[in-house]
Amino acid sequence: MYRWETVQAVTAQRVFAIVRTAGPDEAVAAADAVLEAGLNAVEIALTTPRALTALAALAEKRPGALLGAGTVIDGAAARAAIEAGARFLVSPSLHPEVIRTGHRYGVPVFPGVATPTEMVRALEEGADALKLFPASTVSPAWLRDVRAALPQAPVLPTGGVSVDNAPEWIAAGAVACGMGSALTSGGPRNTGERVATLLRRLAEAR
């Protein structure tokens, strides 16, 4: 895939899962649960111990899945994540080195931003989409106002997004939402029910 094709695929369902666990086995299990429930894209946070082990295991087990790496804050981590199988990279903040490394290998990068100034700077650095983080500090109304001035900004609210408010973010102009424990807590059965409900609500929001 070209970078733009990967971005389209990751955002097609208007949501991607974020997995952050106590270890690699738990990460694989949580990622399996959201993928089995019907999501196409899942990010493994590098704050998970031995996250690259989990990423590599998932890449081998599910070669067709859209697997990403999160909390990528330097070029070395970006390169290692790509080698382990990451097809997109996400950061909590803006690191031009991560964008350059990802693009060098054809991988899109979604850096973290929190203000309009950071959004513009990230776009100037070549960001493929913008992770609005933490989304819990603002609101869908705030995003709607910002996008009136920056309609070209592809925004991914993350951090505090829930099954209930995700449709509001999409209606406000977000291209997709990143969701972690709001989807993965409680085991595979609960995950499946939440994913099904979320996808239905997001379809209605579109």
Side-chain angles (χ1 to χ4, degrees):
M1 284 186 175
Y2 293 107
R3 287 200 335 259
W4 64 268
E5 292 177 303
T6 302
V7 175
Q8 283 189 329
V10 170
T11 60
Q13 291 180 305
R14 299 295 188 263
V15 62
F16 61 93
I18 300 167
V19 169
R20 181 178 287 106
T21 63
D25 293 340
E26 296 92 334
V28 170
D32 275 334
V34 293
L35 293 169
E36 286 293 331
L39 286 192
N40 297 331
V42 58
E43 162 199 331
I44 306 298
L46 295 190
T47 48
T48 296
R50 297 176 63 201
L52 296 179
T53 298
L55 189 56
L58 284 164
E60 182 175 355
K61 182 179 182 181
R62 295 179 176 271
L66 290 164
L67 304 175
T71 325
V72 183
I73 58 175
D74 56 46
R79 172 67 186 271
I82 293 167
E83 290 180 342
R87 297 170 65 181
F88 63 96
L89 304 176
V90 187
S91 303
S93 45
L94 176 58
H95 302 279
E97 180 187 8
V98 173
I99 297 175
R100 288 194 297 270
T101 302
H103 289 184
R104 187 177 298 128
Y105 299 102
V107 173
V109 181
F110 312 148
V113 297
T115 67
T117 298
E118 292 177 356
M119 290 180 179
V120 171
R121 184 184 169 207
L123 291 173
E124 291 172 344
E125 293 288 352
D128 298 281
L130 310 175
K131 172 181 175 175
L132 176 59
F133 179 78
S136 58
T137 63
V138 291
S139 68
W142 179 92
L143 177 60
R144 186 179 292 108
D145 289 343
V146 170
R147 291 198 74 257
L150 299 173
Q152 73 276 25
V155 180
L156 311 169
T158 306
V161 178
S162 67
V163 173
D164 291 330
N165 67 24
E168 298 176 30
W169 287 106
I170 297 302
V175 295
C177 296
M179 296 177 62
S181 59
L183 289 180
T184 60
S185 62
R189 181 175 179 179
N190 288 332
T191 295
E193 292 173 354
R194 292 190 191 108
V195 169
T197 299
L198 177 62
L199 292 178
R200 183 179 68 254
R201 292 181 179 176
L202 291 177
E204 294 169 354
R206 294 175 63 184

